[in-house]
């Protein structure tokens, strides 16, 4: 008799507003894929909260399009709009549960920075997340990755590029170049659409 082995694809979930996506995000996603032994990393663009609109946060479609442009040709790193189609507020536990139901052939791994890990015990259903999903924690600027390892939690060291989306937005408003901070296609899209200029959304 022949038996087919069901090999689960290890898929990292790297969430964020990506407002805009930049070279630091891409470098980090590539490192996490390698260090955590993942088949793919999905950059999940977080939906705008309709109750907490921010003048600086672009609408979902524009941020998703920049992620698509940025990740063209990068193996194993995919833009993802999945959370945009879920009811709000988009709690991580609900997102992971929905993903597991829709993609039973994948093992989802939650990727988070040390800053979020420090507050993880305040998250909605954080104990359920720990019980059902592996978590990979990476350092963030100004934070360590203190905590316990084991019980489905792994800490990895990554080389962080010192770029922030806030800095990029401020440089655009000041008329300065962002050419070395984002992929060429993203820079061109931002300039073509006139994004992040004063009084623009």
């Amino acid at each position: 008799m022949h038996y087919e082995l069901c090999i689960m694809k290890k898929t990292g979930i790297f969430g964020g507003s990506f407002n805009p996506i930049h070279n630091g995000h891409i470098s980090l996603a590539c490192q996490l894929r390698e260090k955590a032994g993942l088949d793919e990393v999905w950059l999940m663009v977080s939906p705008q909260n309709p109750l907490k609109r921010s003048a600086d946060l672009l609408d979902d479609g524009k941020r998703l399009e920049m992620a698509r442009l940025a990740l063209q040709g990068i193996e194993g790193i995919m833009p993802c709009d999945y959370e945009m189609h879920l009811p709000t507020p988009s709690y991580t536990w609900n997102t992971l549960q929905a993903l597991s139901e829709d993609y039973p052939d994948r093992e989802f791994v939650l990727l988070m920075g040390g800053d979020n890990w420090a507050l993880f015990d305040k998250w909605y259903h954080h104990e359920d997340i720990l019980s059902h999903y592996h978590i990979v924690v990476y350092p963030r600027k100004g934070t360590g990755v203190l905590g316990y390892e084991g019980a489905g939690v792994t800490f990895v060291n990554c080389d962080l590029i010192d770029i922030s989306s806030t800095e990029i937005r401020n440089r655009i408003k000041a008329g300065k170049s962002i050419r070395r901070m984002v992929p060429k296609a993203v820079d061109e899209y931002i300039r073509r659409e006139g994004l992040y200029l004063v009084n623009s959304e």
Side-chain angles (χ1 to χ4, degrees):
M1 296 180 65
H2 296 283
Y3 296 93
E4 291 187 6
L5 292 176
C6 180
I7 301 174
M8 304 278 281
K9 271 194 173 182
K10 290 187 71 173
T11 305
I13 299 299
F14 180 10
S17 58
F18 301 110
N19 187 43
I21 190 170
H22 55 65
N23 293 336
H25 293 136
I26 299 167
S27 170
L28 180 56
C30 291
Q31 291 180 70
L32 288 168
R33 182 184 175 224
E34 179 182 351
K35 290 174 181 287
L38 303 171
D39 295 300
E40 291 180 351
V41 171
W42 290 1
L43 264 67
M44 187 165 296
V45 182
S46 302
Q48 190 174 63
N49 186 333
L51 300 178
K52 297 181 180 179
R53 292 188 65 86
S54 166
D56 269 341
L57 183 60
L58 291 186
D59 67 46
D60 299 347
K62 289 187 173 67
R63 289 181 291 121
L64 180 63
E65 179 61 20
M66 286 189 286
R68 286 175 175 152
L69 291 169
L71 299 175
Q72 285 180 347
I74 299 180
E75 184 181 357
I77 314 295
M78 319 288 187
C80 179
D81 66 350
Y82 186 86
E83 207 165 48
M84 294 178 182
H85 305 289
L86 296 178
T88 55
S90 50
Y91 292 114
T92 299
W93 167 246
N94 294 341
T95 299
L96 290 170
Q97 287 287 91
L99 282 167
S100 295
E101 184 173 338
D102 287 345
Y103 299 94
D105 60 333
R106 291 181 181 270
E107 174 191 347
F108 289 102
V109 177
L110 181 60
L111 310 175
M112 71 168 66
D115 50 350
N116 278 323
W117 175 248
L119 302 171
F120 184 68
D121 62 346
K122 307 289 194 300
W123 282 31
Y124 178 75
H125 279 253
H126 72 278
E127 291 181 346
D128 288 323
I129 296 174
L130 274 173
S131 298
H132 292 83
Y133 299 93
H134 192 85
I135 299 175
V136 173
V137 183
Y138 56 88
R140 293 297 294 268
K141 184 179 178 182
T143 67
V145 287
L146 298 177
Y148 60 92
E149 187 160 11
V153 182
T154 302
F155 297 97
V156 297
N157 287 314
C158 294
D159 296 322
L160 303 181
I161 297 177
D162 191 15
I163 302 174
S164 76
S165 295
T166 300
E167 179 187 4
I168 290 171
R169 296 194 301 270
N170 289 339
R171 288 183 67 87
I172 292 169
K173 289 175 183 177
K176 297 179 179 179
S177 172
I178 60 168
R179 185 167 54 89
R180 298 181 182 277
M181 305 171 80
V182 300
K184 180 181 178 182
V186 173
D187 184 22
E188 291 173 348
Y189 180 80
I190 288 172
R191 286 190 283 111
R192 184 169 66 248
E193 297 292 323
L195 305 180
Y196 301 115
L197 298 175
V198 177
N199 297 326
S200 70
E201 293 192 21

